[in-house]
């Protein structure tokens, strides 16, 4: 065995040269790996008597792609596209053995080899689109040559992972084996030597022309994804696969470089690493408490969604309601959710009966005496919650975690009614709880670190993005929402139309404008919150709820009542003419001098409000790092992923621009628009939010 460098080694076994790539955790094609592989290939092909060279991966995977950490930094030779070209041109038959995942640049290395064999369980894919890129090491040229333009285009534009069996059928891999990578490498190499496994160079295959298909896909993308950059470049590059390969690779290279320069690429990579870094908190080093059996109080929409998420993760669930009818409804909802998961391919049909059997519906909290963790998802009212937690305190076994799914209420106050505040935590799920990725883990003053650690392990088990939040009204997400939602209300009071505000923000990239979101969530929820906060509302604060209050007084609560800011008829959505009447009356009553706002100004105000409140959340250490705020907004509030989150976006504007904007708006309303001290500090010392992401603040 010859160690070429710290990530690549070569071994000669008679006529076979075995090149092993070993760059944990995912064998990313870092500079070291590329350099080692290049040297290993030169060395192996210069040895006498070598009949076949095999590349395989050590550890749990082949190569999961280029090393994403290198993106945005000065490129280091050897470059992956050149290396793949060199691989393809090697005169000795050269094959790759793929196990675990072969993604992005990993699959592209394999496409350059002369045959690819897979090991059962393998998944392949070209997911670069999720990072604002395109396959830039020949993937757009070689994949269509192997599996045809429609299949390749679908794989590249969806970024999906393809199971080994499908990859075999598509022609992306040539044969499937069972076994360890090195053993399979030897076996497949022997088969090449005796002519049982054919090898051929991908660049010598011609892709079948499919211009009409490409045109159709392109036209659809222009309609649905005009705000994104890389999908259009993917299509452009795939179209070039009909050219001689050198020309096609040149087109791909240029398109890749263009994608690399975009802010969308930087934002999407921020989200990729943010999703993974967000659980890196001081408590992550502490052993969590074991959780196998969950209790859920409340079988409404939230409770049944949380129950579904837990069942899908293989946890036992005891679901509690007060009356049989509500319990039956909850059970039916869970059934419906599980069946939907089967339909969407999230749950294998054969696992459905076992998953269903993990659910135990029960009447009364006494049934929770043996659970490891309870999630209370009852009515959002402090007195209701306090009663439930008193009962839980007397029923639950010692060490059981008592969690509230409250969206706003004070976890410390809830914890204080129990004799075990150290076991109390907030687990704030988002509706529909079995679909939405975000889980806010709200840590109270007395919450034990093992309880926080368990919250994060549970999030991981449920495949959710857990974000640590401190206690305040609305924690991270709903606190920001309550603030920036006011901007939308002020804009409408002062002259914009709700549809215009929604359109401006959807054009910016939000999945839905704020009025559509409110209609979906139910206007009654905000109404209840406004009433709850009325006694503590500072008298200098401009009230933002006049229009929404009038709408609610009519009994129009949005989608569920068929009428809100919009009118709903089945799947059809129309503007609601009655809203204009309400808006005009309220403007008149308040003596408002109606202004005109263009869409750019709407986005500016909305984003500036969101960012200022996000900064205050950081100042108060409700969020530990800017990335925590970003992940909350991206995974729970429909914030456009390709903008990276409010504070990543804020870095693209810079603190001085934000200060200027806030000072301008403060001339209209100096209570709402205030410059956070942290922004002034950042402007004076030249720091960016990204500089704070490495630091972890500790709650006091
Ligand atoms: N580069 C650098 N680091 C990577 C990486 C990559 N391509 N892929 C994963 N990692 C890191 C993660 O950041 C994580 O690090 P920490 O433990 O420090 O947080 C670690 O590897 C493990 O990753 P996951 O937590 O995601 O592990 P998982 O088992 O849940 O998933 C995976 C494994 C499916 C490979 C997933 O990590 C993944 O999807 N990775 C990205 C794959 C990808 O996008 N490849 C294309 C890269 S771009 C490219 O290749 C461009 C080109 O054309 C040349």
């Amino acid at each position: 065995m010859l160690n070429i460098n710290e990530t690549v080694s070569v071994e000669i076994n008679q006529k076979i040269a075995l090149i092993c790539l070993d760059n944990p955790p995912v064998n990313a094609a870092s500079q070291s790996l590329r350099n080692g592989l290049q040297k290993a290939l030169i060395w192996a092909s210069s040895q006498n008597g070598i009949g076949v060279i095999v590349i395989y991966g050590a550890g749990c995977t082949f190569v999961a792609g280029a090393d994403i950490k290198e993106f945005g930094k000065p490129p280091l030779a050897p470059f992956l596209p050149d290396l793949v070209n060199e691989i393809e041109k090697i005169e000795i038959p050269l094959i790759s053995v793929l196990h675990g995942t072969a993604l992005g640049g990993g699959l592209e290395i394999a496409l350059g080899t002369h045959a690819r064999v897979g090991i059962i369980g393998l998944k392949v894919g070209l997911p670069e689109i999720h990072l604002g890129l395109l396959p830039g090491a020949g993937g757009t040229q070689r994949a269509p040559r192997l599996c045809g333009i429609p299949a390749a285009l679908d794989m590249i534009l969806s970024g999906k992972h393809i199971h080994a069996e499908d990859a075999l059928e598509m022609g992306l891999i040539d044969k499937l084996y069972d076994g360890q990578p090195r053993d399979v490498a030897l076996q497949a190499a022997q088969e090449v030597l005796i002519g049982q496994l054919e090898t051929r160079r991908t660049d010598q295959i011609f892709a079948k022309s499919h211009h009409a298909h490409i045109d159709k896909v392109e036209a659809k993308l222009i309609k649905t994804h005009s705000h994104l950059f890389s999908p259009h470049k993917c299509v452009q590059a795939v179209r070039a696969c009909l050219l001689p390969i050198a020309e096609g690779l040149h087109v791909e290279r240029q398109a890749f470089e263009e994608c690399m320069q975009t802010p969308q690429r930087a934002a999407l990579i921020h989200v990729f690493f943010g999703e993974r870094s967000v659980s890196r908190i001081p408590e992550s080093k502490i052993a969590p408490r074991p959780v196998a059996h969950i209790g859920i109080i409340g079988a409404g929409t939230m409770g049944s969604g949380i129950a579904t998420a837990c069942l899908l993760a293989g946890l036992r669930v005891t679901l509690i309601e007060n009356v049989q009818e509500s319990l039956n409804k909850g059970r039916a909802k869970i059934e419906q959710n599980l069946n939907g998961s089967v339909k969407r391919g999230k749950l294998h049909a054969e696992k459905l009966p076992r998953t269903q059997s993990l659910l135990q519906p029960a009447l009364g909290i006494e049934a929770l005496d043996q659970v490891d963790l309870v999630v209370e998802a009852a009515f959002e009212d402090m007195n209701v919650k306090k009663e439930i937690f008193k009962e839980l305190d007397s029923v639950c076994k010692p060490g059981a975690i008592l969690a509230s799914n409250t969206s706003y209420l004070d976890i410390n106050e809830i914890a204080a009614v129990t004799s075990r505040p150290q076991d109390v935590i907030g687990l704030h799920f988002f509706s529909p709880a079995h679909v939405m990725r975000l889980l806010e883990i709200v840590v109270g003053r007395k919450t034990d670190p093992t309880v926080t650690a368990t919250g994060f392990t549970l999030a991981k088990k449920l495949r959710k993005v857990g974000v640590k939040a401190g206690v305040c009204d609305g924690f991270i997400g709903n606190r920001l929402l309550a603030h920036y939602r006011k901007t939308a209300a002020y804009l409408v009071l002062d002259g914009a139309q709700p549809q215009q505000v929604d359109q401006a923000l959807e054009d910016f990239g939000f999945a839905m404008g704020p009025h559509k979101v409110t209609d979906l969530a139910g206007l009654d929820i905000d109404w209840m919150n406004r009433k709850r906060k009325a006694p503590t509302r500072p008298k200098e604060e401009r009230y933002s709820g006049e229009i929404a209050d009038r709408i609610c007084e009519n009994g129009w609560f949005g989608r569920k009542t068929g009428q809100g800011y919009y009118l709903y008829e089945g799947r059809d959505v129309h503007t609601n003419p009655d809203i204009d009447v309400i808006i005009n009356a309220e403007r008149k009553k308040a003596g408002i001098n109606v202004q005109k706002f263009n869409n750019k100004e709407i986005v500016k105000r909305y984003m500036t409000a969101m960012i200022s409140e996000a900064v205050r959340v950081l100042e108060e250490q409700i969020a530990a790092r800017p990335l925590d705020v970003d992940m909350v907004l991206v995974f729970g509030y429909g914030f456009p992923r390709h903008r990276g989150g409010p504070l990543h976006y804020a870095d693209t504007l810079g603190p001085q621009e934000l200060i200027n904007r806030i000072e301008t708006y403060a001339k209209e309303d100096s209570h709402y628009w205030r410059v956070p001290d942290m922004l002034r500090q950042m402007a004076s010392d030249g720091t960016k939010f990204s500089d704070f992401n490495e630091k972890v603040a500790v709650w006091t």
Side-chain angles (χ1 to χ4, degrees):
M1 165 97 77
L2 173 69
N3 286 328
I4 301 286
N5 65 9
E6 65 280 14
T7 51
V8 181
S9 59
V10 197
E11 181 192 343
I12 303 291
N13 187 312
Q14 297 175 355
K15 292 181 174 176
I16 304 164
L18 295 157
I19 300 180
C20 177
L21 310 177
D22 189 4
N23 184 24
V26 296
N27 286 331
S30 63
Q31 199 256 344
S32 163
L33 188 135
R34 299 193 302 272
N35 193 29
L37 179 54
Q38 188 183 47
K39 286 192 174 136
L41 287 166
I42 295 169
W43 184 83
S45 32
S46 68
Q47 300 303 299
N48 281 336
I50 295 298
V52 57
I53 303 174
V54 196
I55 306 174
Y56 73 98
C60 61
T61 189
F62 184 65
V63 175
D67 187 343
I68 303 170
K69 289 193 201 88
E70 289 179 1
F71 291 167
K73 297 182 184 156
L76 297 163
F79 307 120
L80 197 57
D82 300 338
L83 179 59
V84 177
N85 292 343
E86 287 167 28
I87 288 173
E88 192 161 56
K89 291 191 175 67
I90 284 193
E91 289 189 357
I92 300 168
L94 169 55
I95 65 170
S96 46
V97 174
L98 316 181
H99 78 291
T101 53
L103 300 173
L107 180 59
E108 291 173 294
I109 291 175
L111 296 178
T113 65
H114 310 154
R116 289 145 296 282
V117 304
I119 295 182
I120 287 170
L122 166 76
K123 284 180 193 162
V124 302
L126 294 170
E128 288 88 342
I129 197 155
H130 298 313
L131 303 172
L133 291 168
L134 54 84
T140 64
Q141 305 304 299
R142 293 188 179 94
R145 282 173 161 80
L146 285 172
C147 65
I149 287 177
L153 205 48
D154 178 48
M155 170 164 74
I156 292 167
L157 288 175
S158 67
K160 67 187 172 195
H161 293 186
I162 296 167
H163 288 279
E165 294 73 15
D166 296 329
L168 184 67
E169 207 178 308
M170 287 164 73
L172 282 172
I173 59 172
D174 301 287
K175 203 167 170 181
L176 203 49
Y177 296 77
D178 197 1
Q180 292 303 312
R182 186 179 170 281
D183 299 340
V184 171
L186 280 171
Q187 188 185 340
Q190 291 291 357
E191 289 177 18
V192 172
L193 289 173
I194 59 172
Q196 269 185 7
L197 179 65
E198 236 179 86
T199 56
R200 61 180 177 168
R201 279 174 53 164
T202 314
D203 62 349
Q204 289 169 357
I205 302 167
F206 293 95
K208 202 169 145 215
S209 173
H210 271 284
H211 278 301
H213 179 81
I214 302 176
D215 290 345
K216 209 167 125 196
V217 171
E218 195 165 35
K220 193 169 166 210
L221 271 183
I222 291 169
K223 264 196 184 158
T224 56
H225 287 73
S226 60
H227 58 297
L228 294 180
F229 187 77
S230 75
H232 307 277
K233 290 286 150 185
C234 288
V235 176
Q236 185 193 341
V238 170
R239 202 186 277 283
C241 78
L242 295 165
L243 301 170
I245 193 148
E247 287 174 46
L249 287 171
H250 181 69
V251 172
E252 177 194 86
R253 194 73 216 145
Q254 280 193 326
F256 183 82
E257 291 300 340
E258 283 177 58
C259 291
M260 197 56 120
Q261 301 312 319
T262 60
Q264 293 189 358
R265 187 273 307 157
L268 288 163
I269 288 182
H270 168 69
V271 176
F272 177 86
F273 284 119
E275 182 182 347
R276 287 158 180 82
S277 315
V278 79
S279 59
R280 247 176 244 137
I281 53 158
E283 294 89 337
S284 53
K285 295 190 187 80
I286 296 168
R289 298 186 188 177
V291 172
H293 187 178
I294 306 260
I296 294 170
I297 301 179
T301 309
M302 272 323 285
S304 46
I306 298 168
T308 309
C310 294
L311 293 169
L312 287 171
L315 294 162
R316 269 177 69 202
V317 173
T318 300
L319 180 71
I320 303 292
E321 261 296 349
N322 288 332
V323 285
Q324 191 63 45
E325 197 193 338
S326 313
L327 198 58
N328 293 346
K329 274 192 191 156
R331 193 180 195 169
K333 182 84 188 119
I334 293 167
E335 280 290 306
Q336 198 188 333
N337 290 344
L338 290 177
N339 287 325
S341 301
V342 172
K343 269 195 206 129
R344 291 200 316 276
K346 301 276 172 204
L347 177 70
H348 273 295
E350 69 264 25
K351 286 195 179 154
L352 182 62
R354 155 106 187 111
T355 308
Q356 286 164 324
S357 74
L358 294 170
L359 177 68
Q360 298 163 333
L363 289 173
I365 283 181
E366 302 74 38
L368 299 180
D369 58 342
Q370 286 311 310
V371 299
D372 304 311
L373 185 149
V374 186
V375 184
E376 164 278 309
F379 189 63
E380 189 74 343
D381 176 276
M382 183 53 97
N383 292 328
V384 173
K385 308 252 179 211
K386 280 183 176 171
E387 282 313 308
I388 291 175
F389 273 76
K390 274 186 210 159
E391 270 193 79
L392 285 174
D393 192 21
S394 64
V395 164
C396 291
K397 66 182 182 188
I401 294 175
L402 313 182
S404 173
N405 176 52
T406 176
S407 332
Y408 291 91
L409 301 176
D410 186 340
I411 294 295
N412 294 323
E413 202 179 326
I414 296 173
V417 301
T418 72
S419 63
R420 35 174 141 174
Q422 73 281 0
D423 296 337
V424 177
I425 195 163
L427 290 179
H428 181 206
F429 289 81
F430 290 75
S431 188
H434 60 297
V435 176
M436 291 294 283
R437 300 278 323 277
L438 179 64
L439 179 65
E440 271 185 314
I441 299 174
V442 188
V443 179
R445 208 175 320 139
K446 295 195 176 159
T447 305
D448 190 84
T450 58
V451 174
T452 309
T454 312
F456 276 89
T457 343
L458 180 68
K460 198 161 185 190
K461 233 182 217 162
L462 303 184
R463 303 176 74 85
K464 299 208 178 289
V465 181
V467 182
K468 184 174 168 178
V471 177
C472 68
D473 199 286
F475 320 125
I476 301 176
N478 278 347
R479 169 157 165 190
L480 260 69
L481 175 72
H483 188 76
Y484 64 76
R485 191 64 192 76
K486 281 183 196 155
T487 308
Y490 295 148
L491 281 162
V492 172
L493 271 169
D494 290 343
Q497 291 306 108
Q499 309 85 274
Q500 188 202 354
V501 174
D502 283 356
Q503 192 59 54
L505 291 157
E506 285 165 22
D507 290 348
F508 179 77
F510 278 92
M512 262 189 211
H515 299 94
K516 284 189 192 150
V517 173
T518 311
D519 269 4
L520 191 64
L523 275 92
D524 47 331
I525 311 232
D526 283 347
W527 196 25
M528 199 172 71
N529 263 324
R530 283 193 300 278
K531 287 183 198 162
R532 178 173 66 85
K533 288 186 185 171
T536 53
R537 192 165 36 247
K539 51 180 185 321
E540 319 80 69
E541 182 179 314
R542 178 182 180 196
Y543 187 52
S544 60
E546 291 93 341
I547 293 169
D549 287 352
R550 295 301 86 74
I551 300 175
C552 289
E553 284 157 14
N554 285 324
W556 303 337
F557 296 149
R559 247 176 209 277
K560 60 186 167 193
T561 57
Q563 197 159 351
Y565 288 101
Y566 296 85
L567 288 178
Y568 300 90
E569 280 169 8
R571 289 179 157 259
D572 293 339
V573 185
H574 310 283
T575 50
N576 185 350
D578 294 333
I579 297 294
D580 278 351
V581 179
I582 293 177
I583 293 173
N584 289 333
E586 288 305 316
R587 284 178 186 158
K588 209 166 155 197
K589 199 156 72 185
I592 284 165
N593 218 347
V594 173
Q595 305 176 47
K596 269 202 170 4
F597 297 99
N598 61 31
N599 288 8
K600 208 171 150 194
E601 183 60 18
I602 289 172
V603 171
K604 262 173 89 171
R605 287 183 182 235
Y606 196 78
M607 286 312 303
T608 307
M610 189 185 298
I611 293 165
S612 0
E613 194 62 7
V615 177
R616 282 188 276 272
V617 154
L618 281 180
E619 286 178 333
E620 293 169 30
Q621 299 190 352
I622 298 299
R625 300 154 295 194
L627 71 85
D628 296 76
V629 178
D630 287 345
M631 296 311 112
V632 165
L633 268 289
V634 167
F635 289 103
Y637 292 81
F639 190 95
R641 206 179 157 101
H642 67 278
R643 305 242 186 217
L647 294 176
H648 177 88
Y649 177 69
D651 270 348
T652 67
L653 303 171
Q656 194 53 55
E657 164 68 16
L658 290 161
I659 293 170
N660 296 346
R661 286 184 188 181
I662 298 171
E663 286 178 343
T664 307
Y665 303 145
K667 290 178 192 145
E668 294 169 21
D669 181 348
S670 61
H671 177 77
Y672 182 74
W673 294 104
R674 279 171 292 133
V675 179
D677 293 341
M678 186 175 174
L679 268 189
R680 292 208 193 276
Q681 187 61 44
M682 289 172 71
S684 87
D685 59 23
T687 42
K688 291 179 140 217
F689 289 107
S690 59
D691 300 329
F692 295 94
N693 277 334
E694 295 310 310
K695 297 180 193 161
V696 176
V698 180
W699 280 274
T700 47

